[in-house]
Short mmCIF file of all heavy atoms in Angstrom, two decimals:
data_model
loop_
_atom_site.label_atom_id
_atom_site.label_comp_id
_atom_site.label_asym_id
_atom_site.label_seq_id
_atom_site.Cartn_x
_atom_site.Cartn_y
_atom_site.Cartn_z
N SER O 363 90.25 76.12 155.40
CA SER O 363 91.22 76.42 156.42
C SER O 363 92.27 75.24 156.58
O SER O 363 93.46 75.49 156.75
CB SER O 363 90.54 76.62 157.77
OG SER O 363 89.61 77.65 157.77
N LEU O 364 91.68 74.05 156.44
CA LEU O 364 92.55 72.82 156.49
C LEU O 364 93.68 72.91 155.36
O LEU O 364 94.88 72.68 155.58
CB LEU O 364 91.66 71.68 156.33
CG LEU O 364 92.17 70.32 156.87
CD1 LEU O 364 92.37 70.34 158.36
CD2 LEU O 364 91.04 69.23 156.52
N HIS O 365 93.17 73.21 154.22
CA HIS O 365 94.06 73.31 153.10
C HIS O 365 95.11 74.34 153.24
O HIS O 365 96.32 74.16 153.15
CB HIS O 365 93.40 73.40 151.73
CG HIS O 365 94.38 73.93 150.63
ND1 HIS O 365 95.14 72.96 150.02
CD2 HIS O 365 94.72 75.21 150.25
CE1 HIS O 365 95.95 73.71 149.22
NE2 HIS O 365 95.77 74.98 149.33
N ASN O 366 94.72 75.59 153.63
CA ASN O 366 95.63 76.73 153.73
C ASN O 366 96.68 76.42 154.78
O ASN O 366 97.86 76.77 154.62
CB ASN O 366 94.82 78.04 154.05
CG ASN O 366 94.33 78.61 152.77
OD1 ASN O 366 94.57 78.14 151.71
ND2 ASN O 366 93.64 79.74 152.96
N LEU O 367 96.23 75.93 155.99
CA LEU O 367 97.24 75.69 157.01
C LEU O 367 98.18 74.58 156.58
O LEU O 367 99.41 74.65 156.87
CB LEU O 367 96.54 75.31 158.35
CG LEU O 367 95.86 76.43 159.07
CD1 LEU O 367 95.11 75.90 160.28
CD2 LEU O 367 96.81 77.53 159.51
N HIS O 368 97.69 73.50 155.89
CA HIS O 368 98.46 72.48 155.36
C HIS O 368 99.59 73.10 154.46
O HIS O 368 100.76 72.73 154.53
CB HIS O 368 97.63 71.47 154.64
CG HIS O 368 98.44 70.25 154.15
ND1 HIS O 368 99.10 70.28 152.94
CD2 HIS O 368 98.62 68.98 154.70
CE1 HIS O 368 99.66 69.15 152.74
NE2 HIS O 368 99.41 68.31 153.75
N TYR O 369 99.16 73.98 153.60
CA TYR O 369 100.08 74.61 152.63
C TYR O 369 101.15 75.37 153.41
O TYR O 369 102.36 75.24 153.09
CB TYR O 369 99.29 75.52 151.63
CG TYR O 369 100.29 76.29 150.85
CD1 TYR O 369 101.11 75.71 149.83
CD2 TYR O 369 100.48 77.68 151.06
CE1 TYR O 369 102.09 76.44 149.18
CE2 TYR O 369 101.47 78.41 150.37
CZ TYR O 369 102.22 77.78 149.45
OH TYR O 369 103.23 78.49 148.71
N TYR O 370 100.77 76.18 154.39
CA TYR O 370 101.75 76.94 155.15
C TYR O 370 102.69 75.98 155.81
O TYR O 370 103.93 76.31 155.92
CB TYR O 370 101.07 77.84 156.15
CG TYR O 370 100.76 79.24 155.66
CD1 TYR O 370 99.94 79.45 154.48
CD2 TYR O 370 101.38 80.39 156.21
CE1 TYR O 370 99.78 80.74 153.95
CE2 TYR O 370 101.09 81.68 155.78
CZ TYR O 370 100.32 81.86 154.63
OH TYR O 370 100.12 83.15 154.20
N LEU O 371 102.17 74.95 156.47
CA LEU O 371 103.06 74.02 157.19
C LEU O 371 103.97 73.27 156.21
O LEU O 371 105.12 73.00 156.52
CB LEU O 371 102.17 73.09 158.05
CG LEU O 371 101.58 73.76 159.25
CD1 LEU O 371 100.46 73.00 159.81
CD2 LEU O 371 102.67 73.98 160.33
N ASP O 372 103.42 72.92 155.01
CA ASP O 372 104.16 72.22 154.02
C ASP O 372 105.31 73.14 153.50
O ASP O 372 106.48 72.69 153.29
CB ASP O 372 103.23 72.02 152.91
CG ASP O 372 103.51 70.60 152.22
OD1 ASP O 372 103.84 69.72 152.99
OD2 ASP O 372 103.46 70.52 151.01
N LEU O 373 105.04 74.42 153.43
CA LEU O 373 106.02 75.33 152.96
C LEU O 373 107.25 75.43 153.92
O LEU O 373 108.43 75.41 153.49
CB LEU O 373 105.38 76.79 152.79
CG LEU O 373 106.28 77.91 152.35
CD1 LEU O 373 106.86 77.65 150.89
CD2 LEU O 373 105.50 79.22 152.35
N VAL O 374 106.96 75.52 155.21
CA VAL O 374 108.09 75.59 156.21
C VAL O 374 108.75 74.25 156.39
O VAL O 374 109.93 74.19 156.56
CB VAL O 374 107.62 76.23 157.57
CG1 VAL O 374 107.24 77.65 157.41
CG2 VAL O 374 106.58 75.41 158.25
N THR O 375 107.96 73.20 156.25
CA THR O 375 108.61 71.87 156.42
C THR O 375 109.47 71.53 155.19
O THR O 375 110.58 71.01 155.40
CB THR O 375 107.48 70.80 156.54
OG1 THR O 375 106.61 71.16 157.49
CG2 THR O 375 108.00 69.40 156.87
N GLY O 376 108.99 71.94 154.07
CA GLY O 376 109.80 71.77 152.90
C GLY O 376 111.15 72.53 152.98
O GLY O 376 112.19 72.06 152.60
N ALA O 377 111.07 73.75 153.48
CA ALA O 377 112.24 74.58 153.64
C ALA O 377 113.22 73.92 154.63
O ALA O 377 114.37 73.86 154.43
CB ALA O 377 111.86 76.00 154.19
N ARG O 378 112.66 73.37 155.70
CA ARG O 378 113.43 72.67 156.73
C ARG O 378 114.17 71.49 156.10
O ARG O 378 115.41 71.25 156.32
CB ARG O 378 112.54 72.23 157.86
CG ARG O 378 113.24 71.44 158.90
CD ARG O 378 112.25 71.01 160.02
NE ARG O 378 112.88 69.87 160.71
CZ ARG O 378 113.88 70.03 161.61
NH1 ARG O 378 114.34 71.16 161.98
NH2 ARG O 378 114.37 68.90 162.18
N GLU O 379 113.37 70.63 155.35
CA GLU O 379 114.01 69.49 154.78
C GLU O 379 115.08 69.90 153.77
O GLU O 379 116.20 69.27 153.66
CB GLU O 379 112.99 68.62 153.97
CG GLU O 379 112.23 67.66 155.02
CD GLU O 379 110.95 67.16 154.49
OE1 GLU O 379 110.67 67.20 153.24
OE2 GLU O 379 110.11 66.73 155.36
N ALA O 380 114.83 70.93 152.98
CA ALA O 380 115.82 71.48 152.05
C ALA O 380 117.07 71.89 152.83
O ALA O 380 118.20 71.60 152.42
CB ALA O 380 115.34 72.58 151.16
N LEU O 381 116.92 72.54 153.93
CA LEU O 381 118.07 73.01 154.75
C LEU O 381 118.85 71.86 155.29
O LEU O 381 120.09 71.87 155.32
CB LEU O 381 117.52 73.93 155.88
CG LEU O 381 117.16 75.33 155.51
CD1 LEU O 381 116.27 76.03 156.56
CD2 LEU O 381 118.40 76.15 155.26
N LEU O 382 118.14 70.83 155.74
CA LEU O 382 118.82 69.62 156.24
C LEU O 382 119.65 68.93 155.19
O LEU O 382 120.67 68.27 155.49
CB LEU O 382 117.83 68.60 156.94
CG LEU O 382 117.18 69.18 158.23
CD1 LEU O 382 116.10 68.23 158.72
CD2 LEU O 382 118.24 69.43 159.42
N ASN O 383 119.15 69.03 153.94
CA ASN O 383 119.83 68.38 152.84
C ASN O 383 120.78 69.32 152.06
O ASN O 383 121.26 68.91 150.90
CB ASN O 383 118.80 67.83 151.82
CG ASN O 383 117.93 66.79 152.46
OD1 ASN O 383 118.44 65.97 153.31
ND2 ASN O 383 116.69 66.72 152.17
N GLY O 384 120.98 70.48 152.59
CA GLY O 384 121.87 71.42 151.86
C GLY O 384 121.31 71.91 150.56
O GLY O 384 122.06 72.18 149.63
N ALA O 385 120.03 71.99 150.42
CA ALA O 385 119.37 72.28 149.14
C ALA O 385 118.45 73.50 149.26
O ALA O 385 117.48 73.55 148.48
CB ALA O 385 118.61 71.08 148.67
N PHE O 386 118.72 74.43 150.15
CA PHE O 386 117.76 75.55 150.34
C PHE O 386 117.72 76.47 149.14
O PHE O 386 116.59 76.93 148.74
CB PHE O 386 118.11 76.37 151.67
CG PHE O 386 117.14 77.49 151.81
CD1 PHE O 386 115.80 77.18 152.25
CD2 PHE O 386 117.50 78.80 151.63
CE1 PHE O 386 114.95 78.29 152.46
CE2 PHE O 386 116.64 79.84 151.90
CZ PHE O 386 115.31 79.56 152.26
N SER O 387 118.83 76.74 148.48
CA SER O 387 118.82 77.67 147.30
C SER O 387 117.91 77.14 146.21
O SER O 387 117.16 77.85 145.60
CB SER O 387 120.21 77.90 146.66
OG SER O 387 121.27 77.66 147.61
N GLY O 388 117.92 75.80 145.95
CA GLY O 388 117.13 75.19 144.98
C GLY O 388 115.64 75.27 145.36
O GLY O 388 114.79 75.56 144.52
N TYR O 389 115.33 75.11 146.69
CA TYR O 389 113.98 75.19 147.20
C TYR O 389 113.41 76.60 146.99
O TYR O 389 112.31 76.86 146.58
CB TYR O 389 113.98 74.82 148.65
CG TYR O 389 112.59 74.74 149.22
CD1 TYR O 389 111.77 73.60 149.00
CD2 TYR O 389 112.06 75.78 150.06
CE1 TYR O 389 110.54 73.56 149.60
CE2 TYR O 389 110.83 75.63 150.61
CZ TYR O 389 110.03 74.55 150.39
OH TYR O 389 108.78 74.46 150.93
N TYR O 390 114.29 77.61 147.23
CA TYR O 390 113.89 79.02 147.14
C TYR O 390 113.63 79.30 145.72
O TYR O 390 112.61 79.99 145.38
CB TYR O 390 115.16 79.82 147.70
CG TYR O 390 114.92 81.28 147.57
CD1 TYR O 390 114.30 82.02 148.66
CD2 TYR O 390 115.43 82.04 146.51
CE1 TYR O 390 114.17 83.38 148.60
CE2 TYR O 390 115.25 83.42 146.48
CZ TYR O 390 114.62 84.10 147.51
OH TYR O 390 114.49 85.49 147.42
N THR O 391 114.43 78.89 144.74
CA THR O 391 114.28 79.17 143.32
C THR O 391 112.99 78.47 142.85
O THR O 391 112.23 79.04 142.09
CB THR O 391 115.48 78.57 142.50
OG1 THR O 391 116.61 79.06 143.12
CG2 THR O 391 115.40 78.96 141.05
N GLU O 392 112.71 77.21 143.26
CA GLU O 392 111.58 76.48 142.83
C GLU O 392 110.28 77.19 143.38
O GLU O 392 109.26 77.22 142.59
CB GLU O 392 111.63 75.07 143.45
CG GLU O 392 110.64 74.14 142.81
CD GLU O 392 110.60 72.74 143.58
OE1 GLU O 392 111.57 72.44 144.16
OE2 GLU O 392 109.45 72.18 143.49
N PHE O 393 110.31 77.71 144.54
CA PHE O 393 109.16 78.47 145.14
C PHE O 393 108.78 79.56 144.14
O PHE O 393 107.54 79.68 143.85
CB PHE O 393 109.57 79.07 146.47
CG PHE O 393 108.52 79.97 147.05
CD1 PHE O 393 107.46 79.53 147.78
CD2 PHE O 393 108.63 81.39 146.88
CE1 PHE O 393 106.46 80.35 148.33
CE2 PHE O 393 107.68 82.23 147.41
CZ PHE O 393 106.57 81.69 148.14
N TYR O 394 109.68 80.39 143.69
CA TYR O 394 109.33 81.42 142.75
C TYR O 394 108.96 80.96 141.37
O TYR O 394 108.16 81.56 140.66
CB TYR O 394 110.45 82.53 142.75
CG TYR O 394 110.44 83.40 143.97
CD1 TYR O 394 111.33 83.26 144.99
CD2 TYR O 394 109.44 84.39 144.09
CE1 TYR O 394 111.28 84.03 146.13
CE2 TYR O 394 109.38 85.20 145.22
CZ TYR O 394 110.25 84.99 146.30
OH TYR O 394 110.24 85.76 147.36
N GLU O 395 109.61 79.91 140.94
CA GLU O 395 109.30 79.27 139.66
C GLU O 395 107.87 78.79 139.64
O GLU O 395 107.14 79.00 138.68
CB GLU O 395 110.29 78.14 139.40
CG GLU O 395 110.15 77.40 138.09
CD GLU O 395 110.08 78.20 136.85
OE1 GLU O 395 110.79 79.29 136.89
OE2 GLU O 395 109.34 77.89 135.94
N ASN O 396 107.37 78.16 140.76
CA ASN O 396 105.98 77.76 140.80
C ASN O 396 105.00 78.86 140.72
O ASN O 396 103.99 78.85 140.04
CB ASN O 396 105.79 77.02 142.14
CG ASN O 396 106.31 75.60 142.15
OD1 ASN O 396 106.42 75.02 141.09
ND2 ASN O 396 106.66 75.13 143.31
#
Side-chain angles (χ1 to χ4, degrees):
S363 301
L364 201 61
H365 163 82
N366 276 359
L367 288 176
H368 183 277
Y369 170 70
Y370 267 61
L371 287 162
D372 218 37
L373 179 63
V374 294
T375 308
R378 175 180 160 79
E379 280 164 15
L381 283 161
L382 292 174
N383 296 324
F386 182 71
S387 336
Y389 186 78
Y390 179 88
T391 310
E392 194 190 330
F393 172 85
Y394 283 104
E395 179 53 33
N396 284 333

